[in-house]
Amino acid sequence: MSILLFTVITFIIYKLTKFSYKKWTFPLFHPLLICPIFIIILIYLFHIPANHYAQGSKWITHMLGPATVAFAIPIYKHFHLVKKYIGNIVLSVTVGTLVAIFSTFALSMLLNLNSEFIISIIPRSITTPIAIEVSKEIGGLPTLTTIFVILTGIIGGIIGPFEIKWLSIKSPIAKGLALGMSAHGVGTSKAMEYGEQEATFSTLAMIFAAWITMAWGSLLIPFLINLAHIN
């Protein structure tokens, strides 16, 4: 009973927050930001244990896999463009992952964050399932990693469109790669509002960023950790 109830409640809250975001198009009304806040308020007011709610709504979590696979459809439709620009895609995303890792690491060291915190937030710029695996591999805390992945997506989804406008970026390929690299799933959701090509290249950026960051997880990130004498 609780599985059906919590799944329906989560779905209704999501649809309402998505409706409000579409109606007012205010960045801070993004469902990924507002929906968890409403759920937290709900489980607090009704004294529902968080684990109980998570178990009850697990069907939605299980749908994440098929939803991710569905990203292959726009890639297939624009495969001729993918082949044409594959070099640009790989180079752009590789540079993007390096900037994400080095900037996160440098800022963390500058703020004198503790070692667990630093290791956990380094994979923040890739999609959640892969970020969790990279976090586990390098000794981070997956829960903390998940929080920063979501924050990165929300902030990137809010700031990204403004940067695209200010920099007068017209190319749908550039828009898609920038949003997918900087804000993974949220960025791809935003890219869909621009058009199909933007969504395709944002999806590609998200996928390549995950692959490349996994490679950095066994090479570059351990080197940085040892360099800073973390752990």
Side-chain angles (χ1 to χ4, degrees):
M1 180 63 186
S2 63
I3 291 178
L4 180 62
L5 177 65
F6 293 152
T7 300
V8 171
I9 289 173
T10 306
F11 180 74
I12 291 173
I13 292 175
Y14 172 74
K15 292 298 285 184
L16 288 174
T17 54
K18 190 175 181 181
F19 172 78
S20 64
Y21 177 68
K22 279 188 172 179
K23 185 174 177 61
W24 289 289
T25 61
F26 184 58
L28 292 179
F29 284 180
H30 196 288
L32 199 55
L33 179 64
I34 299 298
C35 200
I37 293 174
F38 277 116
I39 291 174
I40 289 168
I41 293 172
L42 179 77
I43 62 178
Y44 176 77
L45 289 177
F46 290 93
H47 306 288
I48 303 168
N51 289 338
H52 189 53
Y53 192 93
Q55 278 295 315
S57 55
K58 62 183 179 183
W59 282 1
I60 296 175
T61 307
H62 291 163
M63 289 166 70
L64 185 62
T68 305
V69 174
F71 282 135
I73 296 171
I75 294 174
Y76 175 77
K77 288 177 70 175
H78 297 281
F79 193 62
H80 62 291
L81 287 174
V82 175
K83 282 198 297 183
K84 185 177 179 181
Y85 295 105
I86 187 66
N88 303 56
I89 295 168
V90 173
L91 180 61
S92 303
V93 177
T94 301
V95 172
T97 57
L98 288 173
V99 170
I101 291 170
F102 278 109
S103 61
T104 303
F105 183 76
L107 190 59
S108 301
M109 296 297 291
L110 195 65
L111 295 174
N112 201 26
L113 300 178
N114 68 46
S115 58
E116 279 189 329
F117 213 98
I118 295 173
I119 294 170
S120 301
I121 65 175
I122 284 179
R124 65 175 176 80
S125 289
I126 53 177
T127 187
T128 308
I130 309 296
I132 289 172
E133 293 306 315
V134 173
S135 180
K136 287 178 184 173
E137 185 180 326
I138 62 178
L141 301 172
T143 306
L144 191 58
T145 303
T146 302
I147 293 170
F148 276 89
V149 168
I150 293 172
L151 286 175
T152 299
I154 292 171
I155 294 169
I158 293 172
I159 295 175
F162 289 108
E163 289 185 340
I164 287 172
K165 186 178 178 182
W166 291 337
L167 295 172
S168 299
I169 298 174
K170 304 295 182 189
S171 163
I173 297 171
K175 287 180 190 175
L177 290 177
L179 287 169
M181 178 59 238
S182 62
H184 39 79
V186 182
T188 301
S189 169
K190 197 71 192 173
M192 288 176 181
E193 296 176 16
Y194 284 102
E196 205 169 83
Q197 278 194 24
E198 287 87 343
T200 299
F201 283 90
S202 182
T203 304
L204 281 168
M206 189 171 65
I207 294 169
F208 276 91
W211 287 345
I212 295 168
T213 303
M214 283 182 75
W216 293 141
S218 57
L219 297 170
L220 177 63
I221 296 175
F223 171 75
L224 289 174
I225 292 170
N226 289 329
L227 189 69
H229 304 296
I230 298 174
N231 281 335

